[in-house]
Amino acid sequence: MSVIVVPDVLLTLAREAREQAYAPYSRFLVGAAVMTKDGRRFSGCNVENASYGLCNCAERTALFSAVAAGCRPGDFEALAVIGDTPGPISPCGACRQVMAELCDEDMPVWLGNLHGAVQETTVEALLPGSFRLATAG
Ligand SMILES: O=c1ccn([C@H]2C[C@H](O)[C@@H](CO)O2)c(=O)[nH]1
Ligand SMILES: [Zn+2]
């Protein structure tokens, strides 16, 4: 089964998830939401730590929540991300690599900000030629 997903729904979920961000160090709050091909939705926020290298981005929180609920590569339909940026937010390299592992390369990714900017891109466009192991999947 496949569902039609519109950017507004996921962007609204991402915006709501952003309110839960734990970002006492950067004060930069981010929210993300992912929808599965069978219509399940998972959201996430960034979660920081005093040991800065442990900070987890909203995109990975959302995707890892989905994996923890049983989702696997190929299950995802679209992802949205919202941050308080002047233009659409730009995911970090780590999140791009995680998207490349878990999501189809032509999967839409909607990048937004608090002021209504939305940029549609794809997983492959965000990280061309991503690292993969032949055994993964
Ligand atoms: O796309 C992004 C960019 C940054 N962050 C988080 C990581 C860190 O907590 C804070 C500042 O980089 O924002 C995200 O969650 N997603
Ligand atoms: Zn990231």
Side-chain angles (χ1 to χ4, degrees):
M1 179 178 69
S2 189
V3 292
I4 295 173
V5 53
V6 293
D8 288 4
V9 173
L10 274 192
L11 286 163
T12 298
L13 271 179
R15 187 181 287 250
E16 289 170 358
R18 182 181 168 276
E19 301 292 324
Q20 306 302 329
Y22 175 70
Y25 306 106
S26 73
R27 305 266 175 213
F28 185 70
L29 315 184
V30 186
V34 64
M35 185 175 279
T36 62
K37 291 175 181 173
D38 63 3
R40 287 175 291 163
R41 292 174 293 199
F42 299 89
S43 56
C45 58
N46 54 327
V47 181
E48 298 188 342
N49 191 277
S51 178
Y52 295 167
L54 301 182
C55 294
N56 201 65
C57 295
E59 298 92 319
R60 279 175 288 149
T61 304
L63 285 165
F64 292 168
S65 294
V67 170
C71 296
R72 289 294 177 268
D75 288 348
F76 299 104
E77 181 80 24
L79 173 75
V81 194
I82 291 270
D84 188 9
T85 36
I89 191 165
S90 182
C92 80
C95 290
R96 292 175 190 224
Q97 178 66 31
V98 169
M99 289 178 213
E101 170 103 16
L102 297 177
C103 307
D104 300 344
E105 61 184 23
D106 60 348
M107 192 191 86
V109 180
W110 295 306
L111 303 172
N113 69 8
L114 292 182
H115 314 292
V118 181
Q119 176 195 352
E120 176 168 334
T121 184
T122 65
V123 170
E124 168 70 12
L126 285 169
L127 187 61
S130 64
F131 174 71
R132 284 164 194 270
L133 288 177
T135 51

